[in-house]
Each structure stands twice: as C-alpha cells, then as structure tokens.
Amino acid sequence: MLEELSVTNYALIDDIQVSFSKGLNILTGETGAGKSLLVGALGLIFGKKGNPSYVRQGCDEANISALVDISGNHEAQRWLLDAGITYEDDQVLIKRNIKNSGRGSQYIQGQGIIRSQLEEFSSLLFDMHGQHEHQSLFSKVNHRKLLDKYGGLNDDVLSLYNKFQEITKLRADIADLEEEETDLGDKLEELNRAIKEIDSAALYDGEEEEIEKDLKLLRNTDKLCYLIDEALSFTNGAKGIVQYLKNLTINIDSLSHIDDVFTPMIKRVKDSYYEMDDINESISDYKRMIDFSPEQLNIKEQRLSEIFKLEKKYGATIKDVLDYSIEAKKEIDKIEGSGNNIEALKGRLKLEQEDILQKAKLLSEGRSKFAKELENRVVAQLKQLSLPNVRFVVDLAPRKDSNGKPSCGPWGMDEVEFLMSMNPGEPLKPVKQIASGGEISRIMLALKSVLADVDSVGCLIFDEIDSGVGGEVALSIGEHLKSLSRNKQVLSITHLASIASCGENHLKVIKSTDGTKTKTEVVKLQDDQRVREIARMLSGECNEASLNHAKELLGIC
C-alpha cells in the first residue's frame, strides 16, 4: 500500500508530503485546485514518461518519491529479489527525478533503474483507473485480457503466444528454404565449377612468393651471369684474391721465422684465405647449378598468371582461394541436405501445430469455466451499484480467419466480448451500444472490484470514476468503494459529496496565491473541516442546510 507521497517542484506544487492510510482515502478540492497534479505525480511513480514542462517554473528539477508497504505482496518481493534490490521492514522507497533539461532518473531503494523497470514494478503495487479508461470497456481485446486476468490464465496465454511466435518463425524458415531451393541447381553448378577449377590448379600456400622470387632471377639472367663471372675473376686465377691470400700466408709464415711478432698474424691470414676460398667455391657451385632457360621463364609467368586469375575470382591471396574452396564444399553439403531439412522442419511444424491446438483447447476450456464465474460476480457487484435488472454475459465465440473458418491466433481460438442488457426484455448487446457514462463507470468499478480479489496489487486508485453519476447511485458507489477498501487500500479522487463522505482519510487539495506565485497544497481534514468540505461539495457554499446534509451523509457512512 502507498504510505506517503512526497512531491517537490512539480508544476504548481512547491513541496508537499501526503500521508495515506489503510482503507478508503478520499481526495477532494475545487475544480482547478490541482487534483490532477497529484494524479500526474503518481503517474511518474508508475513509470509514465517524464517531460521538462512538469518542472515548476524557476526550478531546475522536480522530485517525486513514494514510500510503499509491500508486506504480503509476494510478486513485488520476488521482483525485487530478481533485480538484486534489498529492502527492510517490508518498505520500499521509489524516487523519480525530472530535470528541466529533459533528462531524468528513477530509483528503487536508491538503486538506479530504467523507466520500463519502474513501470513493471509499479504495476505490481498499484492499479490506477481514470475517466479516459472507461473507453477500454469498448474494446474486445480488453475483454479477453480482463477474463484471462480474472481466471489466472495469463501464464497460459503467454505460453501460447510464445509457441505461436515459434510456429510463425518456423513457417517463415520453411518458406525461405523452399524459395531458395528453386535456385539451388544453379548454385550447386557454380560451386562445383569453382571447386574443380581450384583443385585442378593444385595451389599451395606460399607458391606465389616462390614464383615471384624465381621470376626475379630469370628476368635478370644476363646481369646475374655477368656479375658472377666478374666475381669469380676477382677471387679465382693467378691474380685472384684467393691466390694472393695464399701467397700472403707463405710470406707471413716466413716473416715469423725471422721475428715472432708476425706469428699471431699467420692464423688471421689463413682464416681470410680459407674464407675467401670457400666463397669462391660457393660462387662456382651456384654458377654450375643455375639453368636460366627461356622455357622456364615462360612456364613461371604462365603459372603466376593462372594464380592471379584465381585470386581475382575467389580471393586476394592463395590462402583465401583455398579457404573459398573449403567453404564451397561446406555449402554444397548444406544445400544437398536442405531437402532433408525442409522435410524435418515440416515434421516439426506439424508437431508444434498439434501442440498449440491442444494448448488453445485447454485455454478455451479455462475461459469457458471462468467466464461463468465472472458473469455471476460482476452481476452481483452491479446489483450493489444500483443496477438491479442488469444482465451481463461473457460471450465466447470461435475465432475465424478471413475465409470464415475457425482458426487459432496468438491469443487462442476465442473471441471474447462482454454483452449486456440493462432492462428486462432487452436483448444482449455489446457494452458500447447500450451503456451510458454513469453505467460504464459502475461496470468498470464492478470489474475492478472482482479482479481485486484475484490480484496481489495492494492499492487501487480511482480518478473521478464517479463521472456521470449522482444521487443514490453515487452513494452506492461510495459504499462500494468503502467495502472494497476493507481488503485493499483505495484512493478515490472525487467531486461527489456522497462518495467523499464514505472516506476514512479525507485529503483536500487547495490552490493559493500570494499575488506573485501560485502553489498547490494538500491538507488532511478533521472533524469540522471535513463537514465544511462535504457541505461545499453539496451546494458550493457552507450554509445551515448544506452543513446539516453533510453531517447526515457522514453519519450514514
């Protein structure tokens, strides 16, 4: 239940704290006093989208917080546990911040959350109904939702919906495969041709680099041979470096016999001689091995050209071309198995369709059972709300496709519609065709009352649900709200004295101005204050007759 609401710098509200109690809480005030501002502030706590215009003129931000008791609300407690949010003494603090820059934030127990999370959590705590929601009774979609909520069938409906989505995707997958199958012949031919071309080329990774290295030698044959011969002329022969180093070795050896200062030089000269002799042999061996024929050059160039063509078609490098071949073989296996895949998917689709029809059948049986219960309970409530001759029927008809044949949709195989007759002898008709504004208010209140018994939500908020009614009907609505508040906390924003007089906690919204600023306040009415407010609501002023009438109403309730 809602224990306290704090609002700062919101529209005309400067700074207020409103305490709510168990039972029936009544909010009244003159037209334009700001009752709708409280509704708007509550809407932000419920996850409504914020707007910079909500911030009070001259302020940077608006802040709204709500202290909520969640004792007994196991769904809300489980939600907090799943979200990793801790709480103490069964109390939770919800905060909402709206900045004039357009940005905002929301918190539960000081932990930042996104707006959709706040909306989800608040839906487990509060159920708000305003005048504009009367129109929801005209929608058959909402009729189905209300019946499913009453019967506790929402999990079954969600399971059916998810299964329906799976089947829809399965059908799409089969259609895609069948469409692709028409082009598979050409695709297979193309892939096989590519694999044959790549495999016949017998490529290997690194081949391109080897060929380019060979071509570099082949294209420089004349220059290479000239430089090799020139190098050998430097190292070989009577006047080559090798012979000179050999002679130098003999010379140094002779010198060492005369002066041992030359002895260490012998090894160095010999090492130089052996090193140059080895170089000379290596160059000679290279010359003997080379075979730079024009045919070799032509073969290498043709091979490189073949590689370039394959790379242009299948990849930037030989590795890419080989990878293409591997992937092509995988795709061929996939294509060749697609026929089996289609049959397998069709078999799975058949089983899923049988399963969904079974689920839909069980859901229909549940709806049939709970439809009768809902009818009886709503009629009982409406009789208490001064509609003694009303007939209310939850009509279940088979859902039909565009060809008029029974079909199953994501929400089942039923069309649910509320039908009513307000007077004896009148035929049953859709609600929107027969009910007046005041009757719609009572029908909605009856439905909310019935659903409250099966809902863990602890706080019901009615924003002028009494619109369009008066007299004894209004008094019966007040008594009904009071009866409903024995098990739920009820907040009712009303302009009718007969409803306000039934409240246990009466709050008045007051707008005042000092000539420069206008602000909205909320005060708790006690004793004589409450009598005077009821009198004002009765006649617009406090005179002896209205005061006596107000006391009479308060005595009745």
Side-chain angles (χ1 to χ4, degrees):
M1 91 174 191
L2 178 62
E3 293 189 338
E4 186 174 285
L5 178 70
S6 298
V7 185
T8 305
N9 299 329
Y10 176 79
L12 296 178
I13 298 175
D14 182 10
D15 184 11
I16 62 171
Q17 287 81 40
V18 186
S19 295
F20 298 93
S21 65
K22 295 180 180 179
L24 180 56
N25 295 261
I26 295 294
L27 284 91
T28 63
E30 295 183 4
T31 301
K35 298 188 295 295
S36 61
L37 295 181
L38 284 179
V39 174
L42 281 169
L44 291 174
I45 290 296
F46 301 160
K48 177 184 175 183
K49 189 174 182 180
N51 191 299
S53 63
Y54 296 157
V55 181
R56 183 175 171 84
Q57 185 70 30
C59 299
D60 295 328
E61 60 183 34
N63 292 283
I64 301 94
S65 65
L67 184 64
V68 185
D69 184 338
I70 59 169
S71 56
N73 192 329
H74 302 302
E75 289 186 26
Q77 293 171 3
R78 186 163 48 251
W79 190 97
L80 291 169
L81 181 65
D82 292 341
I85 299 175
T86 58
Y87 60 94
E88 295 180 357
D89 301 325
D90 289 328
Q91 287 185 320
V92 173
L93 183 64
I94 302 172
K95 289 185 177 182
R96 190 78 188 272
N97 168 279
I98 307 294
K99 297 183 183 295
N100 58 17
S101 63
R103 305 188 67 177
S105 52
Q106 41 278 322
Y107 305 88
I108 298 177
Q109 291 292 89
Q111 181 170 317
I113 56 170
I114 59 176
R115 189 170 61 85
S116 60
Q117 287 179 298
L118 177 59
E119 189 173 19
E120 182 182 348
F121 179 63
S122 294
S123 70
L124 304 174
L125 306 174
F126 310 102
D127 184 4
M128 176 182 278
H129 181 78
Q131 295 180 59
H132 66 283
E133 287 182 280
H134 288 347
Q135 300 301 316
S136 66
L137 268 183
F138 297 159
S139 167
K140 290 170 65 175
V141 171
N142 287 327
H143 297 174
R144 192 267 303 162
K145 289 180 179 179
L146 288 168
L147 174 60
D148 290 340
K149 184 176 182 180
Y150 173 76
L153 301 172
N154 284 339
D155 288 344
D156 296 331
V157 173
L158 181 60
S159 175
L160 182 69
Y161 175 81
N162 290 335
K163 182 67 70 174
F164 195 87
Q165 296 302 109
E166 289 176 16
I167 285 181
T168 301
K169 185 179 183 304
L170 201 53
R171 286 197 182 106
D173 290 342
I174 292 171
D176 289 343
L177 284 174
E178 288 178 334
E179 184 178 348
E180 290 173 4
E181 197 174 36
T182 59
D183 300 323
L184 292 184
D186 292 340
K187 184 68 173 176
L188 278 172
E189 184 179 346
E190 178 187 338
L191 292 171
N192 280 311
R193 184 168 57 249
I195 292 169
K196 183 178 179 181
E197 185 178 12
I198 294 169
D199 288 351
S200 63
L203 302 171
Y204 60 88
D205 197 12
E207 182 182 8
E208 186 175 350
E209 290 77 9
E210 290 180 10
I211 292 173
E212 288 178 341
K213 180 181 178 182
D214 291 342
L215 284 174
K216 183 178 180 182
L217 297 176
L218 290 167
R219 289 166 180 163
N220 291 278
T221 298
D222 293 340
K223 185 176 181 180
L224 183 65
C225 289
Y226 171 78
L227 291 172
I228 287 174
D229 288 339
E230 187 177 33
L232 289 173
S233 71
F234 292 147
T235 62
N236 203 9
K239 294 184 178 182
I241 295 173
V242 174
Q243 186 60 46
Y244 277 118
L245 286 171
K246 184 178 180 181
N247 294 337
L248 180 60
T249 300
I250 296 170
N251 179 266
I252 295 297
D253 183 59
S254 298
L255 286 170
S256 68
H257 292 300
I258 299 171
D259 189 347
D260 58 5
V261 74
F262 290 99
T263 300
M265 299 181 191
I266 296 174
K267 184 178 182 307
R268 293 168 61 193
V269 174
K270 283 183 178 181
D271 287 346
S272 298
Y273 163 71
Y274 294 139
E275 182 67 24
M276 282 309 306
D277 187 53
D278 186 62
I279 290 173
N280 178 70
E281 286 300 319
S282 296
I283 295 173
S284 298
D285 290 343
Y286 182 86
K287 182 179 181 181
R288 286 190 293 270
M289 290 173 59
I290 58 176
D291 178 16
F292 300 128
S293 64
E295 291 78 10
Q296 278 290 90
L297 177 61
N298 187 46
I299 291 170
K300 297 289 184 181
E301 287 180 337
Q302 286 182 354
R303 180 61 172 173
L304 190 61
S305 176
E306 181 183 5
I307 291 172
F308 284 164
K309 287 179 181 178
L310 291 172
E311 288 177 343
K312 185 175 181 181
K313 293 169 71 173
Y314 304 117
T317 66
I318 287 179
K319 184 179 184 304
D320 293 336
V321 174
L322 295 173
D323 288 345
Y324 181 92
S325 177
I326 293 171
E327 292 302 317
K329 290 172 184 175
K330 290 180 182 178
E331 191 168 354
I332 286 173
D333 291 339
K334 181 180 177 182
I335 290 172
E336 289 177 343
S338 63
N340 295 331
N341 287 340
I342 292 174
E343 292 307 313
L345 289 177
K346 285 182 177 178
R348 181 183 159 198
L349 177 61
K350 183 178 179 182
L351 292 174
E352 296 286 7
Q353 286 174 325
E354 291 173 355
D355 184 44
I356 202 171
L357 287 174
Q358 182 63 24
K359 287 181 182 293
K361 182 180 177 182
L362 291 173
L363 182 59
S364 290
E365 291 173 357
R367 283 172 175 162
S368 262
K369 170 189 172 183
F370 290 111
K372 293 299 179 184
E373 288 186 19
L374 183 60
E375 289 173 4
N376 294 334
R377 295 192 62 183
V378 169
V379 167
Q381 294 284 340
L382 289 172
K383 287 181 178 180
Q384 294 178 24
L385 292 168
S386 301
L387 290 173
N389 299 315
V390 70
R391 290 167 62 207
F392 176 82
V393 172
V394 180
D395 183 55
L396 292 178
R399 182 181 184 274
K400 295 182 179 180
D401 60 20
S402 56
N403 297 318
K405 295 181 179 180
S407 68
C408 179
W411 312 113
M413 54 177 62
D414 310 302
E415 294 284 354
V416 182
E417 184 172 19
F418 294 166
L419 303 177
M420 296 191 71
S421 168
M422 306 305 295
N423 300 297
E426 290 184 357
L428 290 165
K429 293 182 180 180
V431 174
K432 65 181 179 181
Q433 294 183 15
I434 61 165
S436 65
E439 289 166 340
I440 288 291
S441 294
R442 282 178 279 174
I443 295 167
M444 181 59 78
L445 180 56
L447 284 167
K448 291 284 184 180
S449 299
V450 170
L451 291 172
D453 291 341
V454 296
D455 202 338
S456 61
V457 168
C459 178
L460 304 179
I461 302 169
F462 297 99
D463 180 17
E464 298 191 8
I465 195 171
D466 49 34
S467 178
V469 301
E472 291 186 6
V473 173
L475 186 58
S476 68
I477 289 178
E479 291 171 345
H480 195 86
L481 289 172
K482 188 170 184 177
S483 175
L484 183 60
S485 71
R486 293 191 183 102
N487 298 315
K488 302 279 185 179
Q489 182 190 43
V490 177
L491 277 60
S492 179
I493 299 169
T494 183
H495 61 279
L496 295 180
S498 49
I499 292 178
S501 61
C502 294
E504 296 160 277
N505 180 33
H506 193 153
L507 303 165
K508 183 177 181 180
V509 182
I510 302 171
K511 183 169 70 174
S512 61
T513 179
D514 60 4
T516 57
K517 287 185 178 180
T518 301
K519 66 177 182 178
T520 293
E521 300 174 281
V522 179
V523 296
K524 180 179 176 64
L525 301 183
Q526 302 282 3
D527 302 327
D528 185 58
Q529 292 176 316
R530 192 174 181 207
V531 172
R532 295 181 70 81
E533 173 64 4
I534 298 294
R536 180 199 65 77
M537 296 175 73
L538 285 167
S539 66
E541 59 182 350
C542 292
N543 51 40
E544 185 177 354
S546 62
L547 288 170
N548 288 333
H549 192 183
K551 292 176 183 177
E552 182 181 351
L553 282 176
L554 289 168
I556 292 174
C557 289

